[in-house]
Amino acid sequence: MRADIPKVVKVYGDFGIIKRPSKLSEEEKEKILQRLFQKDAELFTLDPDVKKKIQERLDWVEGYKYIEPKLKELKTLAEEIRREYQFVLWCGMGGSGLFPLVISQIFTPAEGFPELKVLDTNDPFHIQEAERLPLEKTLFVIVSKSGTTLETLSHFKYFWEKVKANNSEPGKQFIALTDPGSPLEGLALERGFRKIVHHPPYVGGRYAALTEIGFLASALMGLDLAKALHYAKEMYSACEPGIPWNYNLATTLAEFITESYILGQDKLTFIVDPLLKPFALWLEQLIAESLGKNYAGLIPVVGESPGASTVYSSDRCFIYLTLRGRERLYHRLISDLKEGGFRIKQIVLEDRYEVFGEAYRFMLATALTGYFIGVNPFDEPDVVLSKTKTRELLEKFKKEGDFGLELYVDSDTGLGFYYEKTLSVEYPKLSALFKKFFSDFAPWIYVGFLAYLSYDPEIEDIIRDIRTFVREKKNCATLFGYGPRYLHSTGQLFKGGPPLARFIIFTRRGRIDSQIIPEEGYTFWDQQFAQAYGDFRALVEREKPVLLIHLFNDPKEDLRLVFELIKKALTF
Ligand SMILES: O=P(O)(O)OC[C@H]1O[C@](O)(CO)[C@@H](O)[C@@H]1O
């Protein structure tokens, strides 16, 4: 058996069975949509345990109806906050942070409202940046549905101590957004948080854009909630079961994605207007975490530089997201792709506020696609693997003071690196490893570049250049994610999705000794490194070729060295 073919494929209930929408009758299709709108978990499985879990994840189907009656209260809270604070630091990972990130990046706060900053990383540089905010003028929103997420609780512990140093009632500066009865709610009650806002318990994190997750963030920025709601409502009406399948915005999208997948076009490639770029990050999580599992699924490709049709293989299909008035931005490119025979779905947003509508359409389309391709779109069974490995590494670190990892140092470049059995070479040299990494390479393999580095456009540019080069040479799809952000997004797909994938993880030197997380006894850098190495171990366990590269010096300079090595490996 080849190493990249799974030995055991878990099939439960009726998952694993692919249904083709184009082969179903109109009545059958209408019934499917009706059942989804009736929150019928049996649509997805007959297994009673799984059915119960899915039942507890379907309230998002109601769309705008959940949040509408709560808007007044959110506005009152936002009015109160704006009188006291200049900044809001929103701490939350994955589904608890990505839609607020979209909001904070595509809108500016209304006059007199605080600036919303989303902290979804433990990178020491960004922790330092957050510490530099005028803390007495900063409100902390601690967001975690489960109330147990490591990074979010670490943010809480760290900033609680900082605030406490100058405020005898630190709780006044904290709001929790979490499930009723979660450990975070307990903590918030104990510490006297200013407010506890409940996450709807029957909505999963990545399906929560139209709940308090999206609307509290928007209220705090003073955005036009009525307009956001209007677009969410319009989309609901355009997706209801009464709308015929071929005119229905959600079902046509689901059919496009499903049919592409059945045709072998599993690399769902997003070409996105730069003004909507952050929205693609939210979509990436929705699709990857919902549909990348059971060794199958869709692979969302976000952030590649758009190229001519000749650089893409036949495993691609495209979604072009654009804004009214700017449709012609990639016009030539899109025509070229169409002429090249690629399937493309163009989606034009009337206004940036339409992300509230599109979020709903994509949630429905993702759930329906899950039904058609035979995966459970509401769980994330493989995310836990890295979490367990990280926890073990952090325990080891606390006891022994190191992670038990001995890096090699490349004699040509001075870069640190590490590899294991899924990628073996005779002499530990990076040039040899890159040759090996790109050998036996088919275009339908994808490469994931996973950077445990600070968010930095220059870093993204260098990695984008590397991605373009690799794509040109190998015709393959390339993905990019910052760690730990991707662990709560594409990380599910990387461990649980289609096996044909290879990864390069980047870490860097950068511990800041003063950034000790209270009660934990290690710094944010240690946590970040443990997550990188933990995910490396998880990928090895899932038999994925993976290389860890440690940047000792300036990360940008070191990444350029990596690019040179990759060029050599792929050119000669
Ligand atoms: O809201 P929580 O419970 O902190 O979880 C954050 C994110 O972590 C994940 O569970 C993945 O680790 C996502 O599915 C989720 O959105």
Side-chain angles (χ1 to χ4, degrees):
M1 184 181 275
R2 280 192 11 227
D4 52 4
I5 304 289
K7 293 184 194 71
V8 183
V9 181
K10 195 177 164 209
V11 180
Y12 45 96
D14 47 359
F15 293 127
I17 300 163
I18 295 182
K19 302 144 205 107
R20 192 162 187 178
S22 61
K23 301 281 180 220
L24 299 176
S25 69
E26 286 308 307
E27 294 73 49
E28 282 171 314
K29 291 199 279 197
E30 197 185 324
K31 189 87 195 126
I32 292 166
L33 189 60
Q34 261 166 9
R35 289 178 68 191
L36 180 57
F37 269 74
Q38 286 157 0
K39 302 187 210 163
D40 177 359
E42 236 170 64
L43 180 62
F44 296 96
T45 183
L46 297 174
D47 179 319
D49 295 337
V50 185
K51 195 176 119 186
K52 185 169 178 296
K53 286 192 187 131
I54 294 182
Q55 204 82 63
E56 292 168 359
R57 282 289 175 276
L58 285 174
D59 274 6
W60 59 270
V61 168
E62 290 171 20
Y64 71 93
K65 291 181 192 167
Y66 164 80
I67 202 69
E68 191 171 26
K70 296 176 191 282
L71 292 186
K72 211 166 146 212
E73 201 188 323
L74 294 181
K75 272 191 191 162
T76 312
L77 176 63
E79 273 302 324
E80 209 182 285
I81 299 302
R82 81 160 171 150
R83 275 184 244 120
E84 290 175 50
Y85 296 103
Q86 278 171 6
F87 296 95
V88 172
L89 192 67
W90 182 288
C91 306
M93 304 302 297
S96 289
L98 284 173
F99 204 73
L101 185 81
V102 175
I103 307 291
S104 72
Q105 292 191 353
I106 68 174
F107 296 105
T108 42
E111 202 171 330
F113 281 84
E115 194 179 321
L116 182 80
K117 290 181 174 288
V118 175
L119 188 63
D120 68 343
T121 175
N122 42 20
D123 186 83
F125 171 80
H126 294 295
I127 299 295
Q128 209 168 42
E129 215 180 33
E131 278 178 67
R132 289 202 192 106
L133 292 172
L135 290 188
E136 68 296 347
K137 288 273 152 216
T138 304
L139 175 84
F140 295 82
V141 186
I142 309 296
V143 190
S144 172
K145 177 177 170 60
S146 62
T148 59
T149 295
L150 177 68
E151 299 90 318
T152 312
L153 291 183
S154 301
H155 292 147
F156 162 69
K157 289 173 188 163
Y158 191 73
F159 288 106
W160 177 268
E161 289 302 316
K162 300 272 166 208
V163 171
K164 206 173 93 179
N166 292 311
N167 186 343
S168 57
E169 289 183 296
K172 296 255 154 23
Q173 281 185 244
F174 286 81
I175 289 181
L177 171 42
T178 187
D179 264 7
S182 81
L184 174 57
E185 171 161 39
L187 201 66
L189 286 169
E190 189 191 298
R191 306 273 179 113
F193 274 28
R194 160 182 214 124
K195 177 112 188 141
I196 298 170
V197 179
H198 281 148
H199 194 290
Y202 288 180
V203 177
R206 57 186 178 272
Y207 289 85
L210 300 187
T211 70
E212 284 82 355
I213 294 288
F215 279 86
L216 174 60
S218 306
L220 291 170
M221 283 177 72
L223 301 186
D224 187 342
L225 301 191
K227 197 166 174 183
L229 193 78
H230 161 78
Y231 280 115
K233 256 184 188 171
E234 288 235 307
M235 187 56 80
Y236 184 91
S237 319
C239 297
E240 273 183 302
I243 309 290
W245 189 272
N246 289 340
Y247 298 94
N248 184 307
L249 293 187
T251 56
T252 44
L253 178 59
E255 182 157 340
F256 170 81
I257 299 174
T258 306
E259 289 291 325
S260 305
Y261 176 76
I262 292 168
L263 292 168
Q265 299 155 3
D266 62 346
K267 313 298 184 312
L268 184 61
T269 306
F270 284 86
I271 296 179
V272 181
D273 184 312
L275 293 177
L276 295 170
K277 200 175 122 198
F279 186 48
L281 283 179
W282 181 82
L283 291 171
E284 182 183 43
Q285 187 214 10
L286 177 71
I287 291 162
E289 236 183 23
S290 304
L291 302 178
K293 55 196 68 161
N294 300 358
Y295 299 99
L298 265 303
I299 296 148
V301 183
V302 166
E304 277 186 337
S305 27
S309 61
T310 46
V311 301
Y312 299 108
S313 302
S314 55
D315 61 345
R316 302 273 194 150
C317 63
F318 294 85
I319 292 189
Y320 175 36
L321 272 181
T322 179
L323 277 163
R324 179 73 65 219
R326 292 167 59 92
E327 301 95 315
R328 295 190 65 78
L329 200 64
Y330 292 118
H331 178 68
R332 288 196 41 194
L333 180 89
I334 300 297
S335 313
D336 177 44
L337 289 175
K338 280 185 188 154
E339 268 169 42
F342 288 101
R343 288 160 59 82
I344 301 174
K345 178 99 185 159
Q346 177 163 335
I347 295 178
V348 185
L349 279 68
E350 293 302 322
D351 183 296
R352 288 179 221 195
Y353 273 94
E354 220 187 338
V355 292
F356 287 88
E358 287 303 332
Y360 184 62
R361 181 220 294 236
F362 270 91
M363 287 190 261
L364 279 173
T366 301
L368 287 169
T369 306
Y371 163 77
F372 286 124
I373 71 170
V375 299
N376 177 355
F378 306 111
D379 66 356
E380 49 286 327
D382 304 287
V383 166
V384 70
L385 188 61
S386 292
K387 287 188 184 170
T388 310
K389 306 249 175 243
T390 299
R391 208 177 317 116
E392 286 164 9
L393 285 165
L394 285 169
E395 283 311 312
K396 183 177 174 62
F397 183 80
K398 281 202 257 182
K399 277 200 212 109
E400 297 166 23
D402 72 31
F403 294 108
L405 169 66
E406 286 195 20
L407 292 169
Y408 298 99
V409 177
D410 184 52
S411 52
D412 295 334
T413 57
L415 293 164
F417 64 99
Y418 185 68
Y419 62 100
E420 273 189 16
K421 54 187 187 247
T422 51
L423 187 73
S424 60
V425 286
E426 209 165 328
Y427 299 106
K429 272 186 81 93
L430 269 177
S431 51
L433 274 159
F434 278 124
K435 277 233 177 282
K436 177 84 184 186
F437 188 88
F438 290 109
S439 66
D440 305 327
F441 205 94
W444 50 87
I445 296 181
Y446 72 89
V447 182
F449 295 92
L450 313 176
Y452 288 79
L453 305 172
S454 321
Y455 301 142
D456 182 334
E458 239 188 283
I459 285 184
E460 281 161 46
D461 284 346
I462 302 168
I463 295 187
R464 193 173 302 110
D465 287 347
I466 300 179
R467 293 172 73 183
T468 306
F469 185 81
V470 170
R471 185 184 63 193
E472 260 170 41
K473 291 288 173 189
K474 294 288 175 189
N475 274 153
C476 65
T478 64
L479 275 67
F480 168 67
Y482 281 112
R485 180 188 276 167
Y486 81 83
L487 292 176
H488 303 275
S489 168
T490 42
Q492 161 58 39
L493 163 82
F494 297 160
K495 263 85 67 188
L500 293 168
R502 298 181 186 184
F503 300 95
I504 301 178
I505 294 179
F506 297 104
T507 56
R508 55 130 186 188
R509 176 179 272 172
R511 178 187 283 120
I512 298 182
D513 290 334
S514 59
Q515 288 184 349
I516 298 258
I517 305 166
E519 301 165 41
E520 300 298 345
Y522 52 73
T523 70
F524 279 104
W525 181 88
D526 301 317
Q527 186 182 86
Q528 188 189 34
F529 191 82
Q531 287 181 306
Y533 184 35
D535 200 40
F536 172 91
R537 304 224 61 85
L539 289 166
V540 169
E541 194 170 305
R542 290 294 159 90
E543 300 184 1
K544 303 275 162 57
V546 51
L547 173 60
L548 187 148
I549 299 186
H550 188 68
L551 314 175
F552 283 113
N553 303 306
D554 174 46
K556 290 167 206 162
E557 289 310 314
D558 275 359
L559 281 174
R560 288 192 185 99
L561 287 176
V562 170
F563 191 11
E564 288 312 310
L565 285 171
I566 291 181
K567 273 188 198 158
K568 275 196 197 135
L570 286 176
T571 311
F572 305 110

